[in-house]
Amino acid sequence: MMKMLRYLTACAIGALAISSVVCAKDDPAPTAPAAVPTPPPPVVSAPATITPAPVTTPVAVAAQPVPDEPIEIGYIEADIQNVLRTLSAKAGINLILGDEVTGKVTVNLKGVSYEEAMQLIAESKGYAYVKDKNIVKVKSKESLDTEAIEMRIYTLNYAKADDIKKTLEAVLTKQGKIQVDTRSNTLVLSDTPSNLSKLVPLIQALDTQTPQVMIEASVAEVPSEVVNNLGLAWQTATTFTINSTGTDATTGRLAISATAPAIITVLNTLFQQNKARLLANPRIAVRDGETARLQIGDKIPFQIINAQGVPSIVILDAGVKLEITPRVNKDGFITMRMHPEVSQIATAPAPGVPPTISTREADSSLTVKDGTPVILAGLIQKNETRTTVKVPLLGDIPVLGWLFKTESSDTRNNEVVFVITPHILAKNG
């Protein structure tokens, strides 16, 4: 009984302690009264101004040039498409790969550009590498023949369309064709786009302005006895030079000494003394590779009768001829092919008999610098002069007329000298 009372008393005390804890949590804690906020003093502000944001002008960024510096690359069993894509990105080139371009590649290249590396890798695997402006196509060579035909028209500025056609026909595909419009000097090309991209640089390289050469030719006739008396040696001629010796201390002018070729000085002296005769002194402009012709002499007509008895007139040329074909080299030198000829009548024409022409000619080819004179000599021309002095009327009497007239003949050998000076003309534009 006592145990029961103790148990009930403990339960009552525990219940009373729990209720007191719950009441303490429910009652709010006392708080201080809230302070009344003091209104802030009025703020007087200046009138607001709106400043527009600065306008920035877009700046154009220049495209990076295609890198062409030598590089060094190496790949071992790398996928060819990945290699070509990487190189094209480095080179800044647009790349189009055919579906048939597959396989592995192992390369080690030094001293080549990115673009050269692309071409070497593609061609080493047997693929076609076609470039059109900034676009590169890599595909099989068989697929090139299946491309659609494209037509392009090119008007040439300097070259003849017929001449360019002969060169381009060798690089056309089986489907390619070339037509020429002679009136407008135009080429009409029909071929695959891949092959047309190869033809364009070739046309541009061939369609260039042809160099022109101004040829100054002096043709002189010098008596052989004058040449022998003076002891001239045409081969000792030297190049014309001008030397400056500085400023003269007395006059303050620039002193210049000029040294002319010996042949030119001698010829000028002979001209002044009337011991030589200048036959011609023309200046002829001719295009590179074409022939300039000079002729001084007579045209001799004579009559011939053919097998049917019909007469006709034939004209022969006699005198001095000169043919020059210049070829301009890239280093400022000129290669000239020269053909001088000296001809004269040996026997006069007779009825039904043509005249006899004696000819002396030579062929020469040499390379000289622009503006350097060339001497051609040694061609001998024989001149025979007959003079008759008679008494009027009496000298014409048959048989006895010789008593009243005198005849004399004079034969002289003259040496024909050619002085040829070529000059390269400046290109127009």
Side-chain angles (χ1 to χ4, degrees):
M1 186 67 177
M2 290 299 292
K3 293 181 179 180
M4 181 64 68
L5 290 176
R6 291 177 183 174
Y7 177 76
L8 294 175
T9 302
C11 293
I13 294 171
L16 180 62
I18 294 173
S19 62
S20 62
V21 173
V22 174
C23 291
K25 289 185 179 180
D26 293 340
D27 292 338
T31 58
V36 179
T38 305
V43 179
V44 180
S45 59
T49 58
I50 301 175
T51 304
V55 179
T56 58
T57 304
V59 179
V61 179
Q64 295 295 330
V66 177
D68 54 359
E69 298 181 356
I71 60 171
E72 179 179 351
I73 61 173
Y75 293 98
I76 299 177
E77 290 297 321
D79 183 73
I80 187 172
Q81 290 201 3
N82 294 336
V83 172
L84 293 176
R85 290 193 188 98
T86 302
L87 294 176
S88 65
K90 293 287 187 180
I93 298 176
N94 298 317
L95 178 63
I96 299 177
L97 293 173
D99 296 336
E100 66 278 8
V101 180
T102 57
K104 303 292 183 179
V105 60
T106 299
V107 295
N108 185 20
L109 300 175
K110 297 180 181 180
V112 297
S113 64
Y114 287 110
E115 184 176 349
E116 290 173 345
M118 292 175 59
Q119 184 173 359
L120 291 173
I121 293 173
E123 293 179 350
S124 66
K125 290 297 183 178
Y127 296 114
Y129 182 92
V130 181
K131 182 178 180 182
D132 187 5
K133 297 180 180 179
N134 197 34
I135 300 176
V136 170
K137 299 178 182 178
V138 178
K139 55 177 63 178
S140 63
K141 296 181 179 179
E142 293 77 10
S143 63
L144 297 179
D145 298 333
T146 60
E147 290 183 335
I149 300 299
E150 183 177 329
M151 179 182 294
R152 296 186 186 180
I153 299 175
Y154 297 96
T155 301
L156 304 178
N157 296 319
Y158 305 105
K160 294 182 180 179
D162 290 326
D163 297 338
I164 301 296
K165 177 184 177 181
K166 298 177 183 178
T167 304
L168 298 181
E169 284 178 341
V171 292
L172 290 176
T173 62
K174 297 179 181 179
Q175 300 91 338
K177 295 181 180 179
I178 299 181
Q179 296 180 348
V180 174
D181 181 44
T182 306
R183 182 189 62 82
S184 60
N185 199 34
T186 300
L187 292 173
V188 181
L189 304 179
S190 300
D191 209 338
T192 60
S194 300
N195 198 48
L196 287 176
S197 62
K198 299 179 181 179
L199 297 178
V200 173
L202 182 58
I203 295 175
Q204 294 175 349
L206 296 176
D207 187 27
T208 57
Q209 189 172 356
T210 304
Q212 300 182 96
V213 180
M214 174 67 73
I215 299 175
E216 296 182 8
S218 298
V219 184
E221 188 180 55
V222 184
S224 297
E225 60 269 18
V226 175
V227 176
N228 296 331
N229 293 337
L230 294 177
L232 292 180
W234 306 119
Q235 65 271 18
T236 60
T238 56
T239 306
F240 184 89
T241 57
I242 298 179
N243 300 320
S244 174
T245 57
T247 305
D248 191 289
T250 305
T251 61
R253 298 178 179 177
L254 184 65
I256 297 177
S257 61
T259 303
I263 178 60
I264 297 179
T265 303
V266 171
L267 286 177
N268 290 333
T269 303
L270 294 177
F271 293 151
Q272 295 174 1
Q273 297 176 355
N274 294 325
K275 294 183 178 180
R277 187 162 61 102
L278 183 64
L279 300 180
N281 187 24
R283 291 172 175 82
I284 307 173
V286 61
R287 296 199 304 176
D288 180 40
E290 297 185 358
T291 302
R293 293 179 175 85
L294 170 66
Q295 180 175 347
I296 307 167
D298 302 322
K299 292 184 178 294
I300 306 169
F302 67 94
Q303 185 181 40
I304 61 172
I305 300 176
N306 58 20
Q308 288 76 23
V310 179
S312 59
I313 301 298
V314 177
I315 297 178
L316 296 179
D317 295 327
V320 178
K321 298 179 183 179
L322 178 62
E323 295 182 356
I324 304 175
T325 305
R327 177 71 65 182
V328 179
N329 304 326
K330 293 183 179 181
D331 54 359
F333 283 76
I334 304 173
T335 300
M336 294 188 298
R337 182 174 181 83
M338 297 168 288
H339 177 76
E341 179 181 333
V342 177
S343 59
Q344 60 186 11
I345 302 175
T347 59
V353 180
T356 304
I357 305 295
S358 62
T359 302
R360 298 166 181 84
E361 58 184 346
D363 284 302
S364 177
S365 179
L366 72 163
T367 302
V368 296
K369 193 175 182 180
D370 181 18
T372 302
V374 178
I375 310 300
L376 295 178
L379 298 179
I380 306 300
Q381 186 178 39
K382 183 178 180 181
N383 294 330
E384 182 177 355
T385 304
R386 292 187 178 183
T387 305
T388 301
V389 180
K390 64 181 179 179
V391 178
L393 299 178
L394 297 179
D396 298 331
I397 297 176
V399 181
L400 299 178
W402 63 273
L403 298 174
F404 303 96
K405 64 181 179 181
T406 302
E407 294 183 354
S408 62
S409 62
D410 184 17
T411 302
R412 291 187 177 183
N413 293 327
N414 296 329
E415 188 166 346
V416 180
V417 181
F418 299 89
V419 182
I420 303 168
T421 307
H423 299 280
I424 301 176
L425 298 179
K427 294 183 179 180
N428 298 327

